[in-house]
Amino acid sequence: MNHLLVLGGGTAGTMVVNRLRPLLPRDEWSITVVDPRGEHHYQPGYLFIPFDGYEPDDVVKPTEHFIPEGVELLTSPVDKVVPESNEVHLGDGKVLTYDQLVIATGTTPRPDQTEGMDGSEWGKSVFTFYTLDGAIALRDKLRTWEGGRLVVHITEMPIKCPVAPLEFTFLADSFFKERGMRDRVEITYVTPLDGAFTKPIASKHLGGMLEERKIELETDFYIERVDNEQKAVVSFDEREVPFDILVTIPLNMGADFVAKSGIGDELNYVRVDQGTFLSTKFDNIFAIGDASDIPASKAGSVAHFAVDVFAENFLHHIRGEEMPMRFDGHANCFIESGGGKGLLIDFNYDTEPLPGKYPLPAVGPFSLLEETEMNHFGKLMFKWIYWNALLPGRDLPLPALMSMAGKEEVGK
Ligand SMILES: Cc1cc2nc3c(=O)[nH]c(=O)nc-3n(C[C@H](O)[C@H](O)[C@H](O)COP(=O)(O)OP(=O)(O)OC[C@H]3O[C@@H](n4cnc5c(N)ncnc54)[C@H](O)[C@@H]3O)c2cc1C
């Protein structure tokens, strides 16, 4: 009997077992998933909680609902992988062995990594919406806030869903307008990037949207510390941005056991080949989703496209054959822009987000890099698709690799 062990039962790990269970004969392969949480979180939904758009119940379901029959679920944290002996040590002392290992333990916000971030103001005037508890605390604060300086801040890239802080900012602008208090709120967007986003065309477009909404943009800001007494973020080049509410995206890091196991980079992301997700050191270890060091966006959409490529390749790999497919970094993200509208971006390792239509050329129904109501509905529809089609591993009519069909090549 061969054993496939999957660490992490979040977006990527759940899709992996749902795709592979029907493809791997049960008398040849057993499958185990390890995840201590017991709850599956729809993280894109955290964005709407601070504005009372979603309730916590909308974004949490029991993990076991999504683990198929024929897959064992263990609820203990992983403490260490010992690749030399194909072993995984769990926090409860149990030792598991594997023939093939998939690491899908994601990435976690770590406010403890920046001086003063989780200090005396944490939960009072310093918040993050990157966790469920953080999103709820921020909602409670915003319900009675009477205005002042709101600072939205990114500590360092990469972060999961790199557009989420921009979406939060656009939704905040819209929320304060609807409440008739926008003139009492000064919004500043503070980023370590040199513009609003990572890719030049989208960055220009999104930067223009901040300007239209009278949102200040503070770029190239590398935070040194949060000053809890002065209520300011302070950069290494000694700039200070004061706040009444700070909404920060803390440093994102992979799981600590990755460092302990000697298979990660300085942020605990597993080093893998960017086309196949196979570890650069071990021939029977893969990392999928946010846990890997591939230079794609850390996003559920990327995990979904990556699992399509991985599942196909894995069947060849276990037969000792070359893997036929290579992942291209395909990502697509809806960007809420407030007022019932949104944008969509679709890109990969080599092609930055371009204007056009998606998924059908000329028809859409979604528009790339353009604010439309349809894109907003797409974002809202996504929650249903996530729970009912994506996680259970059903085929969606979206190709894993990016297509240029429907895209307008800017400047040509
Ligand atoms: C606010 C916000 C908005 C977002 N919006 C979008 C969006 O609009 N579109 C989009 O595509 N993506 C979005 N994302 C990103 C998306 O949620 C993640 O990229 C996706 O969930 C990654 O899947 P994953 O399986 O790699 O990690 P996760 O889904 O985070 O799963 C990791 C799992 O590993 C488990 N784990 C961690 N450590 C251990 C350990 N030591 N042992 C065992 N198990 C462990 C965790 O309990 C968790 O269940 C958003 C994220 C946030 C935070």
Side-chain angles (χ1 to χ4, degrees):
M1 193 69 153
N2 296 294
H3 192 204
L4 167 64
L5 186 53
V6 179
L7 309 182
T11 311
T14 303
M15 286 191 288
V16 164
V17 296
N18 278 303
R19 292 299 287 273
L20 287 183
R21 185 61 287 179
L23 300 174
L24 297 173
R26 291 187 184 212
D27 54 351
E28 290 176 24
W29 283 90
S30 62
I31 306 180
T32 302
V33 183
V34 181
D35 195 309
R37 189 151 68 171
E39 289 177 342
H40 189 112
H41 288 202
Y42 173 63
Q43 297 172 54
Y46 294 170
L47 174 70
F48 298 103
I49 288 176
F51 307 109
D52 269 317
Y54 283 173
E55 291 295 323
D57 276 358
D58 291 325
V59 303
V60 181
K61 291 186 194 280
T63 303
E64 62 189 12
H65 280 195
F66 303 97
I67 304 299
E69 196 250 312
V71 173
E72 182 189 23
L73 172 65
L74 298 179
T75 50
S76 178
V78 173
D79 179 51
K80 180 170 68 172
V81 178
V82 188
E84 293 76 14
S85 50
N86 295 341
E87 281 175 2
V88 171
H89 295 230
L90 302 186
D92 62 7
K94 210 170 177 178
V95 178
L96 309 173
T97 56
Y98 59 84
D99 294 284
Q100 298 288 334
L101 181 70
V102 174
I103 300 176
T105 39
T107 183
T108 308
R110 295 287 298 268
D112 58 307
Q113 298 290 312
T114 301
E115 188 188 328
M117 193 174 273
D118 59 357
S120 55
E121 286 300 314
W122 185 250
K124 292 183 190 147
S125 62
V126 179
F127 298 89
T128 186
F129 65 95
Y130 263 50
T131 62
L132 181 57
D133 288 348
I136 294 169
L138 182 53
R139 174 199 67 187
D140 293 345
K141 177 79 179 182
L142 290 180
R143 276 180 179 169
T144 54
W145 195 49
E146 292 190 346
R149 287 169 299 201
L150 171 70
V151 172
V152 184
H153 163 256
I154 300 172
T155 300
E156 194 176 314
M157 303 304 275
I159 55 170
K160 50 185 154 185
C161 197
V163 295
L166 278 168
E167 294 184 276
F168 178 87
T169 309
F170 295 141
L171 288 179
D173 168 74
S174 195
F175 176 81
F176 297 129
K177 279 178 184 148
E178 274 164 30
R179 297 191 142 202
M181 58 183 281
R182 181 64 182 89
D183 57 340
R184 282 186 274 131
V185 182
E186 199 181 286
I187 309 179
T188 309
Y189 190 79
V190 180
T191 169
L193 298 172
D194 60 4
F197 194 55
T198 45
K199 321 267 176 177
I201 295 172
S203 182
K204 200 168 159 215
H205 197 89
L206 294 162
M209 287 171 60
L210 290 175
E211 217 174 299
E212 275 165 24
R213 290 161 175 77
K214 301 197 171 20
I215 295 162
E216 288 293 316
L217 177 62
E218 185 80 30
T219 57
D220 303 301
F221 191 96
Y222 292 93
I223 187 169
E224 188 205 350
R225 64 194 162 90
V226 176
D227 186 329
N228 284 272
E229 267 164 32
Q230 299 298 320
K231 285 206 191 173
V233 281
V234 183
S235 66
F236 282 103
D237 59 7
E238 288 168 14
R239 275 179 284 160
E240 288 194 16
V241 180
F243 61 80
D244 294 302
I245 290 182
L246 173 67
V247 177
T248 186
I249 319 303
L251 182 71
N252 280 203
M253 287 180 76
D256 286 339
F257 78 81
V258 173
K260 219 172 166 181
S261 313
I263 48 177
D265 65 13
E266 63 286 354
L267 287 172
N268 299 348
Y269 296 126
V270 183
R271 294 183 200 276
V272 297
D273 176 90
Q274 67 174 44
T276 62
F277 319 110
L278 184 63
S279 155
T280 51
K281 274 170 110 177
F282 298 96
D283 199 33
N284 60 346
I285 299 182
F286 291 86
I288 301 232
D290 295 350
S292 88
D293 75 339
I294 64 168
S297 280
K298 295 197 179 296
S301 65
V302 174
H304 165 225
F305 297 134
V307 169
D308 282 352
V309 171
F310 165 75
E312 167 78 22
N313 277 346
F314 187 71
L315 300 178
H316 291 267
H317 185 69
I318 56 176
R319 291 198 292 260
E321 298 163 9
E322 206 167 299
M323 293 187 266
M325 286 185 79
R326 284 196 67 76
F327 185 55
D328 63 350
H330 187 194
N332 63 28
C333 306
F334 287 107
I335 307 175
E336 278 293 287
S337 57
K341 289 191 176 172
L343 295 83
L344 177 65
I345 51 176
D346 188 64
F347 57 107
N348 69 10
Y349 292 140
D350 304 319
T351 307
E352 65 176 306
L354 297 169
K357 295 284 178 194
Y358 183 88
L360 300 175
V363 178
F366 302 114
S367 304
L368 297 169
L369 264 185
E370 193 189 330
E371 280 183 79
T372 67
E373 285 175 7
M374 184 51 90
N375 290 340
H376 166 68
F377 288 126
K379 176 102 183 177
L380 297 187
M381 240 159 46
F382 193 70
K383 176 158 72 82
W384 188 92
I385 294 173
Y386 183 85
W387 293 126
N388 296 288
L390 212 78
L391 278 190
R394 297 192 214 296
D395 281 330
L396 291 180
L398 299 174
L401 304 183
M402 198 202 78
S403 164
M404 281 304 288
K407 296 195 171 63
E408 296 158 22
E409 293 193 52
V410 172
K412 294 204 172 164

